[in-house]
């Protein structure tokens, strides 16, 4: 049977951030450096609240504790707490629990990571960043996600193991991003796409959702550098280069998916004819006559189209390749 | 604790800040392991029913049933083993669309082996996870670490990619760097009938490229503030893919689709140190990439006869083609970021700098691979003054014919970024950043000059063009009237300055307004413009007035302009710049019309609107919707004129119980691209007037094209427990329809004008269609404690129409052109699987 609120508040331990059992078996190792300085989070809404310890939390939240126990956060925090009983567990993230234990329905009495928990987004993210700032999150402040009022807990849920890695709120990185970016996720269902629906890569292979030096949150400083991470053969530099290719892969490719072959933005030959109007060379209009079943089958339309001859369109290292023929 | 627990949060191989390989799954389970987990029927908490919502308003998932670890001394272990068989009773199993990035074969599979060992006393853990669908579709990874202290991980992953399921290459040696014609075809001397017969007789085969990757990573806390990490991966690509092969125009020479061998490897490394203290943060990183290709080139034999249309001109019988492969390249990049918190203003200032280098020095292949002569002769094919347009292959098929034996190409990159974010009050956030990027070509020009002959330029299309059209694609002497022959490569230095200034105002605790002004200055070298300027303003509104609703709205207006547009910035790189060049009597032919505006260099106006809403219909139900519009209007009479895209999505999610989930989505997106081009009217190609409406590019030869893409998406997921049996089902639907309609001012705009009446006209290509329907149904039945049986069926049907490949199902030799790939094919496949799941 569950305790009543009054029984619970009367039974609060005077001190101690974890249960006595843990303390009695602890203090055998130094805390891991990643947790050595963990402390009770600051909850500006209730500055007078005091820590109550994990045991008090689990008196009501036993089921949450059962799920939390098998997360990496729990493994690290419990081990740190064994080594140093002043290192909290629940209250490292949720702040001091005394006010919440006495008035659990008071919004914001602990730091809550939910929509209506009463804790401002900024307080939620700042609490996470107390431990997680820097590194991949170095440019969180001012990033598009921060400015659009996202909280860490929109994408992460460390209270249980919902994903094999990353303490994600959904089952995968891609499913997590699709919560808001379903329109982008759908593009990967098109005829040509990166191997994302097949689980072979993730949005976070190209984008850093925590902020970066680029507006689209790319993990590198340019579009091309991002693409070269998996397509190093395109890096060159080639003896003869195609200017829009060196400028940005996105001039010709739609990175999330396309109805054309090889992620092309538009069908060949029209993709090329947006820029090329050479004399005695294909600047004329082809019609269905030029297809394989037309009256004038034309290699500028069929199959690879322009790329049948200009095959090395990403750049050629052949001395006879200024026009990417070789 | 500056970076405490970073190790806990960093993902498998790299992290969200650097590198790739953050996820390893497969089509059987893209979540890489959670599909086989059982939802906990007790839900999340004893205290109340249902699920909490994320701050945006999405329902959190229900947790899985906690594992029941086995205790081994200080260690506890738990995991999942899932083994079984796949059965593919019917279907198009080798279809390229079906097999893209997946390799579902009939036979036994390892669905999942995921086992974790934990030592609670100090937070040490070890994990192994792997899945094997086939030899080409598998991954395994092993991780060992201590939470908050260190982590070391190794992985192996094979990823398939079938690029053609219906290839019919005529050559021997497919996959190698030497393609030779089979008996029955004579290099440079086959009749159309012989080529058609050889193509028809070629067996249909699959062309694929498999990526095999291995990696090792290590990250650790040096102190509570300092961390260090290092990652290295080695990836090999093996296989072959359809590629081009040029021997000039059909009927005169021939055009063909060859097969390129893929045999390369890439080593990627990155490492660095990170510091996060009370006042300062620092990040020092190195990234390197080392690409190696086993081939410098591949050669292929052409079956086509060279036939010059010029009376009296005899064509040299060239037939040996070559295609250079991508050069080996090295890449290095060093980057450092320093960030200082500004407590008094509740903000921070950050400075980042990076320097990189990409370079290659591959040995260059000879300009041509022919034997004997190339070009045209008059009367005979004997070298001598009587045949000035006939070339001696021996003077060109050797590295001695090069102005330099190796590429010696190098690009240095540099970047500096400074940014500041201040929160002077709880209501206001002020933001600003300036970023400078530079890309410098550091090597000298490569001169297309043959010291053996004293000639400039190159031999076009493996010698076929000069062997068909006298003098075209034929190297020129020092004093010449040929003005458009390329004689050197083009360095493409780029400099970019990007600046943004913005503010966000939380005028109450439910609403935030934001504005951002942006400026971008792009300065390319040897392009149509030397300076391009973007100016933009972005408005943001975030509304949480209703407890059940989160609304985010972003609008951006961007205007791009630049300096004078030079339609021909390449004069210094062609033979017209040679000393002693004397233009033809009528002047030097122009290379394009002055009305052309290449879209990456063009001026345009852009309007973008982005709306996202998440609404809680009930405690257990959520609806999310988004709408996006992006309109770009270009200032171009010739070239891209408009490019508009838009999308709308609607998602519904219902979690009525801890073990029941239902969701569905509808989606639509579209794009519309408008462009115009103009045909040149002069048969000899010697027009000297670049103006639109002039004799070279008359108005009557102008044409317009509108490419429309429409995509419709729908899907649904169902996961429910009936008694002890779990039933899951899914449906996914995609329908893409692309149409290309055109109009023209007159028949002169057309490639084949004789078939239409005089005057303007219009028409359209047949729609390009891609439609995929997939269904899956699974039943998971507990057998005994910890053991369950999952039986599932996955059906996928794809339909594709692509006018690029019309007629390819009948023949790959069409109109004097020889093709290898038959193009995308419709398919239908059904997979039945049985998997025994054991909780270890």
């Amino acid at each position: 049977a569950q305790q009543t609120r009054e029984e619970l508040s009367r039974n609060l331990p005077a001190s101690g951030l974890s249960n006595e059992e843990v303390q009695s078996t602890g203090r055998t190792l130094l805390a891991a450096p990643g947790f050595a300085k963990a402390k009770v989070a600051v909850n500006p809404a209730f500055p007078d609240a005091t820590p109550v310890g994990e045991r008090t939390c689990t008196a009501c939240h036993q089921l949450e504790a059962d799920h939390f126990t098998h997360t990496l956060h729990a493994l690290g925090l419990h081990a740190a707490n064994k080594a140093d009983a002043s290192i909290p567990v629940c209250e490292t993230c949720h702040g001091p629990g005394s006010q919440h234990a006495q008035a659990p329905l008071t919004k914001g009495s602990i730091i809550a990571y939910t929509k209506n928990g009463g804790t401002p987004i900024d307080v939620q993210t700042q609490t996470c960043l107390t431990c997680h700032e820097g590194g991949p999150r170095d440019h969180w402040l001012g990033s598009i996600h921060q400015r659009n009022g996202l909280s860490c807990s929109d994408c992460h849920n460390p209270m249980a193991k919902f994903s094999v890695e990353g303490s994600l709120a959904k089952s995968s990185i891609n499913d997590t991003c699709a919560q808001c970016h379903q329109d982008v996720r759908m593009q990967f269902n098109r005829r040509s796409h990166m191997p994302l629906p097949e689980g072979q890569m993730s949005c976070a292979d190209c984008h850093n959702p925590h902020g970066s030096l680029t507006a689209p949150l790319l993990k590198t400083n340019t579009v091309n550098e991002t693409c070269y991470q998996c397509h190093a053969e395109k890096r060159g530099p080639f003896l003869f280069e195609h200017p829009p290719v060196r400028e940005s892969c996105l001039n010709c490719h739609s990175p999330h998916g396309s109805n054309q072959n090889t992620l092309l933005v538009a069908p060949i030959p029209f993709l090329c004819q947006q820029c090329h109007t050479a004399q005695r060379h294909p600047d004329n209009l082809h019609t269905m006559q030029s297809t394989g079943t037309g009256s004038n089958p034309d290699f500028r339309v069929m199959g690879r189209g322009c790329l049948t001859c200009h095959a090395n369109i990403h750049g050629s290292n052949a001395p006879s390749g200024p026009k990417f023929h070789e | 604790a500056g970076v405490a627990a970073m190790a806990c949060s960093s993902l498998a191989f790299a992290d969200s800040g650097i590198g790739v390989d953050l996820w390893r799954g497969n089509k059987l389970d893209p979540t890489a392991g959670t599909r086989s987990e059982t939802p906990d029927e007790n839900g999340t908490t004893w205290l109340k029913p249902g699920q909490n919502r994320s701050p945006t308003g999405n329902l959190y998932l229900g947790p899985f049933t906690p594992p029941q670890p086995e205790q081994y001394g200080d260690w506890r272990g738990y995991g999942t083993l899932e083994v079984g068989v796949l059965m593919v009773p019917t279907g198009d199993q080798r279809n390229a669309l079906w097999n893209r990035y997946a390799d579902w074969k009939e036979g036994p599979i390892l669905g999942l082996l995921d086992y974790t060992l934990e030592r609670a006393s100090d937070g040490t853990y070890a994990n192994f996870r792997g899945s094997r669908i086939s030899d080409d579709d598998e991954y395994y990874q092993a991780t060992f670490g201590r939470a908050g202290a260190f982590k070391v991980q190794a992985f192996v992953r094979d990823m398939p990619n079938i690029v053609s399921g219906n290839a019919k290459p005529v050559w021997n040696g497919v996959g190698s760097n030497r393609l030779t014609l089979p008996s029955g075809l004579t290099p440079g001397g086959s009749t159309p009938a012989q080529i058609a017969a050889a193509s028809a007789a070629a067996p249909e085969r699959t062309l694929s490229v498999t990526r095999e990757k291995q990696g090792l990573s290590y990250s650790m806390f040096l102190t509570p503030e300092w961390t260090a990490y290092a990652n290295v991966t080695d990836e090999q690509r093996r296989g072959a893919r359809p590629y081009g092969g040029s021997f000039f125009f059909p009927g005169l020479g021939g055009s063909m689709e060859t097969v390129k061998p893929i045999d390369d490897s890439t080593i990627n490394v990155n490492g660095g140190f990170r510091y996060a203290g009370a006042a300062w943060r620092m990040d020092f990183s190195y990234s390197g990439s080392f690409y190696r290709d086993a081939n410098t080139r591949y050669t292929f034999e052409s079956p086509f006869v060279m036939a010059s249309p010029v009376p009296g001109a005899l064509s040299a019988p060239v037939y040996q083609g070559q295609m250079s492969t991508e050069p080996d390249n090295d890449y290095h990049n060093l980057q450092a970021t320093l960030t200082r918190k500004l407590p008094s203003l509740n903000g921070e200032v950050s400075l980042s700098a990076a320097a990189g280098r990409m370079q290659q020095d591959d040995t260059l292949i000879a300009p041509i691979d022919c034997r004997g002569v190339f070009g045209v002769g008059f009367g005979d094919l004997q070298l001598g003054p009587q045949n000035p347009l006939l070339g001696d292959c021996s003077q060109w098929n050797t590295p001695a014919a090069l102005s330099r034996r190796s590429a010696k190409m190098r690009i240095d990159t540099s970047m500096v970024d400074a940014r500041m974010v201040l929160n002077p009050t709880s209501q206001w956030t002020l933001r600003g950043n300036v970023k400078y990027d530079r890309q410098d070509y550091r090597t000298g020009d490569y001169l297309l000059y043959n010291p053996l002959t004293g000639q400039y330029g190159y031999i076009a299309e493996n010698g076929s063009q000069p062997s068909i059209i006298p003098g075209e694609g034929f190297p020129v002497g020092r004093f010449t009237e040929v003005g458009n022959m390329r004689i050197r490569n083009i360095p493409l230095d780029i400099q970019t300055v990007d600046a943004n200034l913005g503010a966000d105002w939380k005028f109450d605790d439910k609403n935030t307004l934001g504005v951002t002004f942006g400026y971008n200055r792009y300065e390319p070298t040897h392009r149509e413009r030397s300076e391009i300027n973007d100016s933009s303003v972005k408005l943001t509104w975030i509304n949480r007035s209703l407890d059940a609703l989160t609304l985010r709205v972003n609008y951006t207006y961007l205007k791009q302009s630049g300096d004078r547009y030079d339609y021909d910035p390449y004069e210094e790189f062609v033979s017209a710049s040679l000393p002693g060049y004397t233009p033809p009597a009528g002047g030097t032919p122009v290379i394009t019309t002055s009305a052309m505006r290449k879209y990456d260099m063009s001026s345009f106006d852009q309007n973008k609107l982005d709306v996202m809403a998440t609404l809680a219909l009930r405690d257990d139900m959520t609806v999310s919707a988004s709408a996006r519009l992006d309109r770009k209007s270009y200032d171009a009479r010739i070239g891209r004129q408009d490019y508009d895209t838009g999308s709308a999505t609607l998602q519904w999610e219902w979690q009525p119980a801890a073990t029941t989930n239902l969701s569905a989505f509808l989606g639509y997106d579209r794009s519309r691209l408008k462009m115009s081009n103009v045909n040149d009217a002069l048969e000899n190609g010697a027009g000297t007037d670049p103006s639109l409406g002039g004799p070279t590019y008359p108005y009557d030869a102008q044409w317009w094209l509108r490419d429309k893409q429409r995509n419709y998406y729908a899907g649904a997921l169902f996961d429910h427990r009936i008694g002890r049996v779990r039933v899951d089902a899914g449906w996914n639907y995609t329908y893409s329809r692309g149409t290309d309609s055109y109009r023209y001012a007159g028949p002169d705009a057309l490639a084949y004008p004789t078939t239409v009446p005089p005057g303007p006209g219009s028409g359209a290509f047949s729609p390009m269609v891609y439609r995929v329907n997939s269904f899956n149904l699974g039943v998971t039945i507990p057998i005994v404690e910890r053991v369950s049986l999952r039986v599932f069926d996955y059906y996928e049907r794809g339909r594709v129409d692509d006018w690029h490949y019309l007629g390819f199902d009948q023949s790959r030799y069409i109109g004097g052109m020889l093709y290898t790939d038959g193009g995308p094919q419709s398919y239908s496949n059904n997979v039945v699987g049985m998997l025994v799941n054991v909780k270890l």
Side-chain angles (χ1 to χ4, degrees):
Chain A
Q2 296 179 29
Q3 294 173 290
T4 65
R5 308 295 181 204
E6 294 70 21
E7 289 171 337
L8 175 62
S9 59
R10 281 197 299 273
N11 295 336
L12 290 179
S15 63
L17 298 178
S18 76
N19 63 68
E20 290 77 359
E21 179 189 351
V22 172
Q23 293 184 44
S24 65
T25 58
R27 302 195 184 90
T28 56
L29 292 166
L30 290 176
F35 294 98
K37 294 187 176 180
K39 54 190 175 187
V40 175
V42 175
N43 182 0
F46 286 83
D48 299 331
T50 56
V52 297
E54 180 184 26
R55 187 181 201 186
T56 302
C57 303
T58 56
C60 296
H61 298 283
Q62 183 57 55
L63 188 56
E64 291 91 320
D66 292 345
H67 296 131
F68 178 66
T69 297
H70 300 286
T71 67
L72 207 51
H73 276 84
L75 184 67
L77 285 166
H78 281 140
N81 179 265
K82 291 175 189 288
D84 179 352
S86 69
I87 297 174
V89 180
C90 311
E91 291 165 306
T92 302
C93 305
H94 290 286
S98 63
Q99 294 282 352
H100 174 72
Q102 294 174 29
L105 300 182
T106 303
K107 289 189 174 183
S109 56
I110 60 165
I111 298 173
Y113 299 87
T114 59
K115 181 171 177 59
N116 297 317
T119 302
I121 300 291
D122 293 347
V123 175
Q124 295 178 40
T125 54
Q126 186 50 53
T127 304
C128 299
L129 290 171
T130 302
C131 291
H132 290 278
E133 72 177 347
R137 295 154 293 276
D138 217 12
H139 298 292
W140 168 256
L141 197 58
S143 70
I144 185 70
H145 282 156
Q146 184 264 332
R147 285 189 280 125
N148 274 270
L150 266 73
S151 167
C152 308
S153 52
D154 277 316
C155 303
H156 298 280
N157 184 355
M159 287 305 296
K161 192 170 183 178
F162 299 98
S163 60
V164 291
E165 285 162 351
S167 301
L168 300 170
K170 295 293 184 181
S171 299
S172 68
I173 294 172
N174 304 335
D175 291 345
T176 302
C177 300
Q179 292 180 109
C180 296
H181 300 288
Q182 180 70 15
D183 61 321
V184 178
R185 174 61 185 81
M186 292 187 309
Q187 294 178 31
F188 288 92
N189 292 344
R190 295 175 180 174
R191 171 179 152 190
S192 62
H193 58 262
M194 291 291 174
L196 190 138
E198 293 79 8
Q200 303 274 15
M201 71 176 289
S202 75
C203 309
D205 284 325
C206 301
H207 301 279
N208 180 354
H210 304 112
S212 83
L213 297 179
T214 68
L217 301 179
L218 296 177
K219 293 175 75 172
T220 71
N221 294 327
T222 66
V223 167
N224 285 27
E225 279 306 323
T226 302
C227 302
Y228 296 152
Q229 291 184 114
C230 295
H231 302 282
E233 78 278 7
K234 302 292 193 301
R235 186 190 302 274
F238 296 91
L239 196 62
F240 298 102
E241 305 218 305
H242 193 182
V245 173
R246 175 58 64 190
E247 182 180 74
S248 172
C249 304
L250 303 188
N251 278 327
C252 298
H253 295 285
S254 175
H256 300 135
S258 163
N259 296 333
Q260 314 301 323
N261 196 21
T262 59
L263 296 172
L264 293 177
V265 168
I268 288 176
F270 306 120
L271 174 69
C272 311
Q273 289 181 310
Q274 291 179 90
C275 294
H276 294 287
T277 313
Q279 289 197 80
R280 292 191 63 241
H281 206 64
D283 49 13
N284 44 25
L285 173 62
H286 287 273
T287 67
M288 285 297 288
Q289 292 179 33
S290 300
T291 63
T293 53
S295 56
N296 301 90
D298 194 298
F299 69 134
R300 289 163 285 184
V301 168
M302 293 190 295
R304 310 174 63 82
C306 309
L307 304 184
T308 309
C309 294
H310 304 279
N312 274 333
I313 199 64
H314 293 106
S316 173
N317 222 46
S320 294
K323 294 183 177 177
F324 317 117
H325 290 127
E326 298 177 23
Chain B
V3 289
M6 181 183 296
C8 303
S9 66
S10 64
L11 292 176
F13 214 75
D15 57 35
S16 63
I18 192 167
V20 292
D21 303 308
L22 271 73
W23 200 260
R24 276 174 289 282
N26 53 39
K27 191 173 181 178
L28 184 69
D29 182 9
T31 70
T34 57
R35 179 192 50 74
S36 60
E37 295 290 343
T38 307
D40 188 343
E41 59 186 8
N42 296 319
T44 301
T45 177
W46 297 119
L47 303 179
K48 63 175 186 176
Q51 290 296 331
N52 287 322
R53 293 181 177 276
S54 70
T56 291
N58 292 301
L59 282 165
Y60 283 125
L61 293 174
F64 302 121
T65 302
Q68 301 168 31
E70 297 288 341
Q71 204 69 31
Y72 309 101
D74 283 354
W75 292 84
R76 63 182 183 225
Y78 57 90
T80 300
L81 171 64
E82 192 172 67
V83 294
V85 295
L86 288 184
M87 291 162 285
V88 192
T90 59
D92 310 298
Q93 297 184 34
R94 302 312 294 169
N95 182 282
L97 292 175
W98 162 254
N99 282 284
R100 183 147 297 175
Y101 313 126
D103 187 26
W104 286 11
K105 288 193 176 82
E106 201 156 274
I109 64 168
L110 172 64
L112 177 70
L113 174 56
D114 187 345
Y115 195 77
T116 299
L117 284 168
E118 298 172 347
R119 187 164 64 190
S121 60
D122 64 351
T124 304
Y125 63 93
N127 172 265
F128 177 87
R129 181 156 52 87
S131 179
R132 184 187 187 282
I133 308 303
S134 76
D135 289 344
D136 294 337
D137 189 359
E138 59 184 345
Y139 67 87
Y140 310 96
Q141 71 175 47
T143 310
F144 178 72
R146 182 187 177 203
F150 72 93
K151 179 168 75 173
V152 59
Q153 185 177 69
F155 81 87
V156 177
R157 189 209 68 194
D158 296 347
M159 183 171 75
N161 184 13
I162 291 185
V163 293
S164 175
N166 57 357
K168 287 171 68 72
V170 299
W171 294 272
N172 298 319
V174 169
S176 74
N177 59 9
R178 185 166 181 265
L179 300 177
T180 58
L181 292 171
S183 59
L185 287 180
T186 305
S190 304
T191 66
Q194 291 171 323
I195 298 171
S199 176
E204 192 167 274
R205 59 188 294 173
T206 294
L207 298 179
S208 64
V209 177
T210 301
R211 289 175 177 254
E212 299 179 349
K213 196 168 192 176
Q214 311 84 39
L216 180 66
S217 76
Y218 183 72
S219 61
M220 69 175 295
F221 280 82
L222 303 172
T223 71
E225 292 78 23
W226 280 98
T227 58
Y229 65 92
N231 307 318
V232 58
T233 62
D234 182 10
E235 182 173 58
Q236 298 81 40
R237 296 191 312 156
R238 301 281 186 271
R241 68 183 313 143
Y243 215 62
S246 177
F247 267 85
F248 208 58
F249 287 17
L252 305 173
S255 176
M256 68 204 86
E257 186 175 48
T258 65
V259 182
K260 179 182 181 179
I262 306 296
D263 185 4
D264 60 26
S265 67
T266 303
I267 295 176
N268 284 327
V269 298
N270 62 62
F273 297 90
R274 292 162 170 167
Y275 174 87
W280 287 92
R281 296 198 307 270
M282 291 175 269
D283 192 331
F284 306 97
S285 66
Y286 164 80
S287 296
S289 173
F290 307 91
Y291 171 80
R292 299 293 181 266
D293 196 318
N295 301 305
T296 302
R297 67 168 188 170
Y298 73 95
T299 62
F300 55 95
E301 294 177 337
S302 164
F304 297 108
V305 175
M306 300 290 108
S308 175
V310 178
L314 297 176
S315 297
V318 294
Y319 62 83
Q320 187 69 28
Q322 63 176 356
M323 188 72 71
S324 63
T325 60
E326 291 85 356
D328 298 352
N329 65 66
D330 295 347
Y331 168 70
H332 308 275
N333 187 74
L334 285 168
Q335 183 155 331
T337 298
L338 271 70
T339 302
R340 178 70 164 85
K341 293 182 181 177
L342 305 172
S344 59
L345 293 169
N346 192 24
E348 62 187 34
V349 58
S350 181
L351 179 67
S352 300
R357 171 171 295 176
M358 59 186 89
Q359 60 189 11
Q360 62 103 352
D361 193 22
D362 250 21
T363 300
L364 297 177
I365 62 177
I368 195 170
D369 196 37
C370 70
R371 301 289 180 270
V373 295
F374 65 92
V376 295
F378 293 88
D380 59 38
L381 290 176
Q382 301 302 314
L383 291 166
Q386 77 283 8
N387 284 323
L389 298 180
L390 200 61
D392 181 352
C393 288
S394 67
Q395 297 292 299
W396 291 90
N397 62 10
T398 165
L402 302 173
S403 65
R404 158 164 111 207
R405 297 297 180 95
S406 64
K408 290 185 169 54
M409 296 296 295
R410 193 182 107 202
I411 298 175
D412 289 350
T413 61
S414 55
M415 184 278 299
V416 176
D417 178 281
R419 54 188 61 211
M420 179 182 288
V421 180
L422 305 176
N423 297 285
T425 72
S426 59
Q427 282 75 39
W428 283 95
T429 298
L430 306 176
R431 300 170 273 107
N433 78 284
V434 178
K435 185 181 180 187
Y436 171 84
D437 263 306
R438 193 172 166 86
Q439 178 174 282
D440 295 304
Y441 282 65
R442 293 297 192 189
T443 50
D445 293 350
Y446 176 78
L447 194 63
L448 287 90
Y449 174 73
N450 184 342
L452 300 179
T453 65
Q455 292 173 298
Y456 290 86
Y458 65 99
I459 303 168
E461 302 193 56
N462 296 297
S464 60
Q465 186 174 359
S467 298
I468 293 170
I469 308 298
E472 270 196 10
F474 190 88
V476 297
R478 182 176 298 274
F479 303 103
T480 174
E481 290 190 348
V482 177
N484 61 358
M485 169 62 74
R486 278 283 296 278
I487 60 165
R488 58 172 65 97
N489 61 343
I490 305 175
L492 299 169
D493 302 65
I494 296 172
Q495 178 172 291
T496 306
V497 175
D498 185 82
N500 295 279
L501 186 64
D504 300 305
W505 176 39
K506 297 178 185 173
F507 65 87
D508 61 28
D509 60 353
K510 301 289 187 181
N511 288 278
T512 302
L513 293 176
V515 61
T516 304
F517 298 96
Y519 173 75
N520 180 284
R521 180 169 177 162
Y522 179 72
E523 298 176 89
T525 307
H526 304 307
R527 292 300 312 274
E528 288 75 8
R529 275 177 159 165
S530 59
E531 180 181 319
I532 296 173
N533 300 300
D534 289 354
S535 300
S536 66
V537 57
K538 180 174 184 176
L539 305 176
T540 301
W541 176 41
I542 305 162
N543 179 279
R544 300 174 188 267
S545 298
L546 302 175
D547 286 347
L549 176 68
T550 299
L551 179 67
R552 297 185 173 102
V553 182
N554 286 277
Y555 167 77
T556 303
Y557 171 74
L558 184 148
K559 185 176 185 60
Q560 175 168 297
S561 59
D563 62 354
R564 187 183 70 86
Y565 189 98
D566 178 2
Y567 71 94
D568 180 11
Y570 306 117
E571 183 175 351
E572 66 187 277
F573 303 99
V574 296
S575 49
S577 64
L578 285 172
Y581 168 70
T582 52
T588 301
V590 296
I591 65 165
T592 188
T593 170
S594 56
M596 165 61 73
R597 295 292 181 269
K598 296 181 177 180
Y599 57 88
D600 61 326
M601 296 281 113
S602 181
S603 299
F604 65 78
D605 291 323
Q606 181 177 24
N607 287 275
K608 293 172 64 175
L609 179 65
D610 184 341
V611 180
M612 285 192 284
T614 304
L615 174 65
L617 287 181
R618 311 184 336 190
D619 288 346
D620 58 358
M621 191 179 291
T622 310
V623 168
S624 303
S626 71
R628 287 183 171 81
L629 288 174
D630 185 349
R631 295 194 162 187
K632 295 174 78 173
S633 179
Y634 293 81
D635 177 22
R637 288 188 298 163
I638 299 296
R640 180 184 288 184
Q641 297 179 324
D642 290 297
Y643 188 43
D644 303 337
T645 62
S647 70
T649 66
L650 183 65
Q651 300 182 81
W652 170 80
E653 187 176 15
W654 184 31
Q655 295 181 21
T659 57
T660 302
N661 280 288
L662 289 87
S663 64
F665 76 89
L666 293 171
Y668 167 75
D669 63 44
R670 58 181 283 274
S671 70
R672 184 187 65 181
L673 190 156
K674 287 174 60 180
M675 61 165 286
S676 180
N677 207 319
V678 56
N679 194 9
D680 56 298
L682 303 178
E683 282 299 318
N684 62 4
T688 56
D689 183 352
S691 60
L692 180 62
T696 311
Y697 296 102
Y699 288 124
D700 284 352
Q702 188 173 4
W703 55 274
W704 298 262
L705 180 111
R706 175 176 298 194
D707 175 72
K708 288 184 178 179
Q709 301 294 325
R710 299 283 187 276
N711 300 285
Y712 305 85
Y713 314 90
L717 292 172
F718 170 79
D719 192 335
H720 179 56
R721 189 182 300 178
I722 305 171
R724 298 175 62 242
V725 177
R726 179 183 180 186
V727 179
D728 63 277
W731 167 59
N732 211 325
Y733 173 77
T734 299
Y735 173 49
S736 302
R737 182 181 176 88
T739 57
D740 294 286
S741 57
Y742 56 82
R743 62 184 177 91
Y744 52 88
D748 287 349
L750 298 171
Y752 301 99
T754 59
T755 57
V756 299
S762 63
F765 280 72
S766 61
M768 289 178 62
V769 174
Y770 176 67
R771 179 189 289 114
V772 173
N773 243 313
S774 67
F775 304 88
N776 66 277
L777 175 64
V779 177
T780 304
I781 308 161
I783 306 300
V784 296
E785 186 182 12
R786 291 177 175 253
V787 179
S788 62
L789 173 68
R790 172 176 165 81
V791 181
F792 72 92
D793 183 278
Y794 179 80
Y795 173 77
E796 185 174 303
R797 180 185 185 194
R799 292 287 178 267
V800 59
D801 296 311
D802 184 342
W803 44 259
H804 292 95
Y805 295 93
L806 286 174
F808 281 41
D809 53 343
Q810 302 299 317
S811 173
R812 304 292 166 84
Y813 180 67
I814 307 175
M817 292 151 283
L818 179 60
Y819 292 94
T820 291
D821 182 24
Q825 303 291 304
S826 299
Y827 65 94
S828 173
N829 277 295
N830 190 64
V831 178
V832 178
M834 284 197 303
L835 298 168
V836 175
N837 183 294
V838 182
K839 295 297 180 187
L840 304 172

